[in-house]
Amino acid sequence: MVPDSPSNSQFNGHSNSLGQQIDTLAATSNLTPGQLLLWLGQKLNPETPLYNMVFSFTIQGKIDPVHFQRAFQALIAHSDILRLTITESDGIPHQTVAPTLNYSLPIIDFSTDTAPTQASQTWMQQRSTCLLNLQDCLFDAALLKLSSDRFIWYLNQHHLITDNWSVSLLYRRLQEYYGQSLTGTLATATDLPAYLDYAESEQPSAWQQQAITHWQQKREHTPPSVPLYGQNGQTTDIATARTERTYFELGPERSEALRALAKTPEARTLSIHQSQFNLFLTLVFAYLYRVSGSHELAIAAPAHNRPTPILKETPGVFMELFPLQVDIEPGETFTSLLGKVARESMAFLRYAQSGVSHHGFSRDVNVVLSYINVTFPEFHGMPVKTDWIHSGYGDNQHHLRLEVQDFDATGSFTLQFDFNSDLIADTQRQWATEHFCKLLDAWLENAHQEIEAVDILATEERALLFGSGQVLESDQRKENLRYIQTLVGRFQQQADLVPDQTAVVLGQQTLTYAELNTQANQLAHYLGKQGVQKGMIVGLFIERSASMIVSILAILKEIGRAHV
């Protein structure tokens, strides 16, 4: 924990000053540019486990705890990132590697508990929020025993020393050391490449300068953050770092269909993973367009920055965020959008170089897509289930982080939607996965259909708006009405708070909150005079326009029910 840290509001309000501070620190610190941004993020949130990267590996088989402890100690001895600490001198962070670190790996026995799985899950979730001391030890680990033939390796590392690729390297090397310990050959264990050697040798090149120029020019044209589900994309003053994770399994059928789509001429590119990344990127842009109505969209994605064989074997944090953006035009189809994304992705691949990321890339956008192509094999011949444990926190600038992974090579992609819980309501988070998957299913059915034409309403959302075709129970009708009234109330509160701020923008036409409220009230009054009552369904046939927004709001105000 770093004392006397500036507040988050200071961070948001003084980006130019922050940029100057980063430049000064970069010139004197031995942290990489990516590490420096993470260190600053932690400094600004000293009481929050913002960058805890927590994994659990459930091993189905008999583990010898003593040999596992020896293997883990060998992992520490042969991997410099596990002996790395960060200290400050006159406010400048500096990383050093201790020559040795004796770590007594805890063995925690849940096997005598009446519900060992549940007890271990509770323990790990609580443990995942523990703060890691940058000056002492940047990881936390334990071996949990659930039964004689079922164990969990719990590993929490600060993002300052790891990324997903690095976790897989440590996992693979640990199982190697475990096997050597069992056979009495652990003394022959070899070192992993040293991260600090890379960090201290990283120097700007002429190519990096070209990349920096590219990103600087691109940043000048970055569109505003995406207003997810009616939220102001720029809203950060009311958002804490609390996030909620929603999981969704695509399943083998959808996942195989996506992989097949990635091999078609329209989608195929440099590698299968690049092709699949482009597909998910296209889906994210389509999803954001449909839930926000914004045509100009930008998101960020991590570049993993391991271009050489030696770096592919080096544990540590190489990941840096870079922006991608597209303009969605009227009549845009999945195929045409994929073409735009493919071109943007190629530029991303070319210019997303190590050491050229900018703190503004993470601040300019509020949505991040992370396509993770690492897998975890069996542990010494024993099946393993890998879980990325969410600590409940994330960067409050990012209203949505979507991670796509298949850690255990099951053939089914897992989607992890991390929404800022202060900005995105529970119901919206639940509907989000269905919105996303309805777009995916529509694409798989017909790649040439217009994105705008796809029906993405979630099942419960449709029942709320139009009814389920059955008579709703009284309590359900009341709940639906309360929900609509809440939407209207939130709008009214915003209109009272900032009446002169812009509420609607469509081309050259704009409406302030006061103007929108006045026009909606006038139309609602007219509807009432025409006999419209609460509970009715009102037909609305109108092109996308400011008048459409006025009409929807008026209907909600008058009948508290729905629009069609």
Side-chain angles (χ1 to χ4, degrees):
M1 183 176 69
V2 181
D4 302 325
S5 298
S7 67
N8 221 2
S9 60
Q10 288 175 299
F11 180 95
N12 294 330
H14 298 84
S15 58
N16 292 334
S17 174
L18 178 66
Q20 295 171 356
Q21 291 175 358
I22 292 174
D23 292 340
T24 300
L25 291 172
T28 52
S29 172
N30 71 339
L31 272 64
T32 67
Q35 281 182 305
L36 197 56
L37 294 178
L38 293 168
W39 175 82
L40 281 167
Q42 187 64 78
K43 188 177 177 70
L44 294 167
N45 298 271
E47 302 295 339
T48 303
L50 203 60
Y51 299 116
N52 283 9
M53 289 194 64
V54 189
F55 279 79
S56 70
F57 304 93
T58 303
I59 305 168
Q60 301 288 348
K62 295 181 183 292
I63 290 289
D64 186 313
V66 173
H67 285 291
F68 195 94
Q69 286 176 316
R70 290 173 182 170
F72 189 73
Q73 187 61 50
L75 186 66
I76 294 172
H78 293 290
S79 178
D80 69 337
I81 63 164
L82 295 179
R83 306 190 310 277
L84 188 148
T85 58
I86 297 177
T87 57
E88 287 184 52
S89 177
D90 297 326
I92 306 299
H94 190 82
Q95 58 185 337
T96 57
V97 173
T100 61
L101 173 64
N102 293 319
Y103 187 86
S104 180
L105 182 73
I107 309 295
I108 303 175
D109 191 350
F110 289 100
S111 63
T112 58
D113 196 283
T114 55
T117 299
Q118 182 179 348
S120 64
Q121 295 295 327
T122 300
W123 181 91
M124 290 189 291
Q125 192 61 56
Q126 293 174 346
R127 186 88 167 194
S128 70
T129 62
C130 292
L131 293 169
L132 297 171
N133 189 330
L134 306 189
Q135 302 178 34
D136 179 32
C137 187
L138 288 169
F139 71 88
D140 178 33
L143 181 66
L144 315 183
K145 180 181 179 181
L146 276 63
S147 68
S148 62
D149 59 356
R150 190 160 176 252
F151 291 79
I152 296 177
W153 177 35
Y154 170 87
L155 178 65
N156 177 14
Q157 299 176 88
H158 198 288
H159 203 353
L160 277 161
I161 63 168
T162 196
D163 52 28
N164 286 294
W165 189 276
S166 179
V167 174
S168 72
L169 291 175
L170 294 184
Y171 171 88
R172 293 167 190 266
R173 191 57 68 98
L174 178 68
Q175 71 152 337
E176 177 185 324
Y177 293 159
Y178 179 74
Q180 290 176 320
S181 181
L182 289 173
T183 58
T185 58
L186 190 55
T188 64
T190 57
D191 289 342
L192 286 136
Y195 179 74
L196 201 60
D197 289 348
Y198 156 78
E200 294 184 338
S201 65
E202 187 179 45
Q203 297 294 331
S205 64
W207 174 242
Q208 282 180 315
Q209 289 301 322
Q210 293 182 33
I212 290 171
T213 300
H214 167 83
W215 292 115
Q216 287 175 338
Q217 293 173 347
K218 192 175 187 67
R219 202 176 164 227
E220 293 175 358
H221 304 286
T222 300
S225 295
V226 183
L228 288 169
Y229 295 103
Q231 289 292 340
N232 183 344
Q234 306 294 332
T235 300
T236 55
D237 54 338
I238 63 171
T240 67
R242 293 290 305 180
T243 60
E244 293 287 342
R245 174 168 292 178
T246 300
Y247 292 90
F248 188 83
E249 293 286 343
L250 281 188
E253 186 176 343
R254 277 196 184 107
S255 299
E256 181 54 36
L258 262 176
R259 290 186 174 96
L261 180 59
K263 297 175 183 177
T264 61
E266 294 84 1
R268 188 168 56 241
T269 182
L270 299 177
S271 70
I272 185 62
H273 285 300
Q274 184 70 20
S275 300
Q276 290 173 176
F277 169 70
N278 286 352
L279 295 183
F280 281 107
L281 188 58
T282 300
L283 276 170
V284 170
F285 277 127
Y287 164 76
L288 295 177
Y289 166 62
R290 287 302 308 274
V291 302
S292 72
S294 300
H295 291 262
E296 296 181 343
L297 299 165
I299 71 171
H304 297 287
N305 294 328
R306 284 180 166 88
T308 67
I310 190 69
L311 292 182
K312 283 182 170 64
E313 296 299 321
T314 306
V317 56
F318 291 78
M319 181 277 297
E320 296 179 38
L321 285 177
F322 294 89
L324 301 102
Q325 59 192 69
V326 297
D327 293 343
I328 296 184
E329 300 174 90
E332 196 82 68
T333 67
F334 290 104
T335 299
S336 63
L337 179 56
L338 176 60
K340 293 179 179 180
V341 165
R343 291 188 291 273
E344 183 73 359
S345 175
M346 287 299 294
F348 173 89
L349 195 64
R350 180 181 183 186
Y351 290 108
Q353 302 296 317
S354 177
V356 305
S357 185
H358 186 277
H359 75 93
F361 297 163
S362 183
R363 325 261 44 101
D364 293 341
V365 301
N366 65 333
V367 177
V368 177
L369 169 66
S370 182
Y371 172 82
I372 304 165
N373 64 346
V374 302
T375 57
F376 298 89
E378 293 183 338
F379 189 89
H380 198 63
M382 293 175 281
V384 170
K385 183 179 185 302
T386 307
D387 290 296
W388 185 354
I389 300 174
H390 183 47
S391 69
Y393 294 89
D395 192 328
N396 76 327
Q397 300 282 337
H398 299 153
H399 301 170
L400 168 61
R401 293 181 71 99
L402 172 60
E403 295 98 11
V404 180
Q405 51 89 357
D406 182 14
F407 287 140
D408 299 319
T410 64
S412 175
F413 288 112
T414 297
L415 308 183
Q416 299 170 174
F417 293 81
D418 293 346
F419 281 106
N420 185 289
S421 54
D422 289 333
L423 299 177
I424 310 300
D426 290 344
T427 304
Q428 292 166 333
R429 293 197 298 270
Q430 293 167 10
W431 293 344
T433 55
E434 200 167 344
H435 295 159
F436 191 88
C437 287
K438 285 205 170 189
L439 285 165
L440 168 58
D441 290 340
W443 187 1
L444 294 175
E445 181 181 347
N446 178 8
H448 299 288
Q449 66 179 302
E450 294 185 8
I451 296 169
E452 177 70 29
V454 178
D455 177 5
I456 69 168
L457 282 179
T459 303
E460 292 183 4
E461 190 178 14
R462 179 177 298 281
L464 175 66
L465 292 175
F466 307 125
S468 60
Q470 302 174 348
V471 178
L472 296 175
E473 295 296 332
S474 177
D475 288 346
Q476 183 63 58
R477 290 201 304 272
K478 290 178 181 178
E479 180 62 28
N480 291 354
L481 183 57
R482 277 197 297 270
Y483 181 81
I484 296 298
Q485 290 170 338
T486 298
L487 292 179
V488 174
R490 289 178 63 185
F491 169 78
Q492 188 64 54
Q493 183 180 27
Q494 186 75 357
D496 292 340
L497 184 64
V498 287
D500 297 325
Q501 281 192 12
T502 301
V504 177
V505 178
L506 187 66
Q508 300 298 316
Q509 185 180 7
T510 64
L511 289 175
T512 66
Y513 277 98
E515 292 169 337
L516 175 57
N517 197 32
T518 298
Q519 293 184 28
N521 286 338
Q522 290 171 346
L523 181 55
H525 181 68
Y526 172 79
L527 290 173
K529 291 180 66 175
Q530 299 304 310
V532 173
Q533 300 175 6
K534 290 185 183 297
M536 286 186 174
I537 294 178
V538 177
L540 178 59
F541 183 75
I542 189 173
E543 64 183 9
R544 181 183 290 269
S545 62
S547 296
M548 182 187 74
I549 304 300
V550 171
S551 301
I552 292 172
L553 183 58
I555 295 169
L556 294 177
K557 282 173 173 283
E558 180 59 24
I559 67 172
R561 179 75 165 106
H563 69 277
V564 179

